[in-house]
Amino acid sequence: MSKLKYFIIAGLLRMAGGLSLANAQRIGKWLGLLIWKLPTKSRQVTDTNLSICLPDLNEAEREATSRASMIQTGQTMLEVPLMWEWPVQKCLDLVKETEGLELIDEALSGEEGLILLAPHLGNWELAGLFFSSRYKMAALYSPPNMPEFEDYMIKVRGRLGSELVRGDRRGLARLASILREGGVAGILPDQSPRGKGNAFAPFFGMEVKTMTLVSKLIQRTGANVLITFAERLPNARGFRIVVRRTEAGLGDKDPVVATTALNRSIEHCVLEIPEQYQWEYKRMRHRPPGETNPYNPDRVC
């Protein structure tokens, strides 16, 4: 059954990969609107997150942001097959503007490696392709629930030689080795981590479980760290790659100080284009013991 499911999904991805950017974004827009209009979990989680993270919005503004967010999420969903199925150069040609690339040159001017944080903002698949086309790069990933899908994912994401490493002990050792060699490591920093490698730190004012991996890698390797995102330009014009500095303290030995700096770095980027953030993700579900799960007020963490 799982193999049949894989072939169906792979077939749909290849079909969607035949779309133009304009058509993919058009279909994604209507898909996002449908998800927003119906009483879906994605809509409910998005509204909950916006009420927590952007409390200064009035009801009309929050509803407009929620609607725009689901449209952007639908467009992201339809763009992924393009990033995976299109020829690499065709994908790279979608990058119409860049900002802050000099920060990467500066970070790599010495012998230190670079940790490049890429939150779920804009089109992170394109950001990964863009930087792997320029630098020796490795990216941390979590294996999909469908084992057959893992080989496909590694193949399409590694077309330019980017090395994908699992988020286990061996993978993290490999990531540290690449950073010591002066390479670049890509990490999605805004996932709710499992296991022991975490601390509770504020994210838009709410204490949530946050990964300590970034601070540990900085301490072990002396790597520099920057944050990036691929902003979706209007009217299917393409994307703008943006690189920003991070907050001071990301490498601090105090895990709370380090994870607070990590979350603040993400917040600054999100506030630049809040409608392009993945608000339907349950980022706040893991809270300190005794605190309430905001997505299920009857459940205490």
Side-chain angles (χ1 to χ4, degrees):
M1 181 61 73
S2 62
K3 287 187 177 181
L4 176 61
K5 187 177 180 181
Y6 162 73
F7 284 122
I8 292 173
I9 293 175
L12 290 172
L13 284 170
R14 292 189 176 96
M15 288 175 59
L19 296 170
S20 66
L21 179 65
N23 284 335
Q25 291 187 349
R26 189 175 296 115
I27 295 170
K29 173 183 177 180
W30 291 111
L31 176 62
L33 275 174
L34 179 63
I35 296 172
W36 182 77
K37 285 180 177 294
L38 297 175
T40 60
K41 287 185 178 180
S42 292
R43 168 71 189 273
Q44 294 168 6
V45 172
T46 294
D47 289 347
T48 298
N49 282 336
L50 289 175
S51 67
I52 294 169
C53 299
L54 302 178
D56 292 336
L57 297 180
N58 60 39
E59 186 175 348
E61 291 170 334
R62 189 174 299 126
E63 183 168 299
T65 303
S66 173
R67 181 180 183 274
S69 172
M70 293 311 303
I71 288 174
Q72 297 281 342
T73 294
Q75 291 177 329
T76 300
M77 291 169 60
L78 267 293
E79 288 165 2
V80 169
L82 311 188
M83 300 301 102
W84 288 2
E85 292 292 329
W86 277 13
V88 170
Q89 190 56 52
K90 187 176 180 181
C91 296
L92 296 178
D93 288 343
L94 295 176
V95 178
K96 305 301 183 183
E97 303 173 18
T98 61
E99 182 179 345
L101 295 188
E102 70 280 359
L103 297 176
I104 294 186
D105 295 334
E106 177 186 323
L108 294 174
S109 61
E111 298 182 356
E112 299 88 358
L114 171 65
I115 299 170
L116 199 54
L117 305 176
H120 290 84
L121 182 66
N123 189 322
W124 55 89
E125 292 286 348
L126 178 59
L129 270 180
F130 178 81
F131 290 109
S132 63
S133 74
R134 292 170 166 249
Y135 309 103
K136 178 184 177 182
M137 187 167 177
L140 192 68
Y141 80 100
S142 297
N145 294 328
M146 192 184 306
E148 295 86 358
F149 198 70
E150 184 172 6
D151 289 341
Y152 170 76
M153 187 177 70
I154 291 174
K155 178 182 176 182
V156 295
R157 285 180 170 172
R159 284 173 290 172
L160 290 172
S162 177
E163 183 178 345
L164 270 73
V165 298
R166 282 194 177 207
D168 54 22
R169 182 174 296 181
R170 180 178 297 178
L172 297 179
R174 176 59 184 150
L175 213 60
S177 175
I178 289 168
L179 288 171
R180 290 192 188 99
E181 294 168 2
V184 179
I187 296 176
L188 295 167
D190 53 345
Q191 301 179 79
S192 189
R194 303 190 181 193
K196 299 180 180 179
N198 61 76
F200 289 102
F203 183 63
F204 285 102
M206 179 170 280
E207 297 282 326
V208 295
K209 190 181 287 187
T210 305
M211 66 166 63
T212 55
L213 169 64
V214 177
S215 61
K216 289 176 181 177
L217 284 173
I218 295 171
Q219 293 165 27
R220 290 173 61 183
T221 69
N224 295 304
V225 58
L226 295 168
I227 190 165
T228 186
F229 57 91
E231 177 184 359
R232 183 174 296 105
L233 300 175
N235 303 317
R237 288 200 296 114
F239 297 85
R240 181 170 75 113
I241 298 290
V242 179
V243 180
R244 296 278 186 253
R245 297 187 189 276
T246 55
E247 285 278 311
L250 257 170
D252 199 283
K253 292 183 179 180
D254 184 328
V256 175
V257 172
T259 51
T260 297
L262 175 63
N263 284 343
R264 283 179 179 164
S265 300
I266 298 167
E267 289 172 20
H268 293 323
C269 292
V270 171
L271 290 174
E272 290 192 42
I273 46 171
E275 69 281 356
Q276 293 194 28
Y277 190 57
Q278 194 180 31
W279 291 113
E280 76 277 7
Y281 177 62
K282 294 182 179 180
R283 180 67 182 89
M284 319 288 190
R285 70 185 185 275
H286 294 138
R287 306 207 54 226
E291 297 291 335
T292 302
N293 181 335
Y295 311 109
N296 187 350
D298 295 329
R299 178 179 297 175
V300 177
C301 297

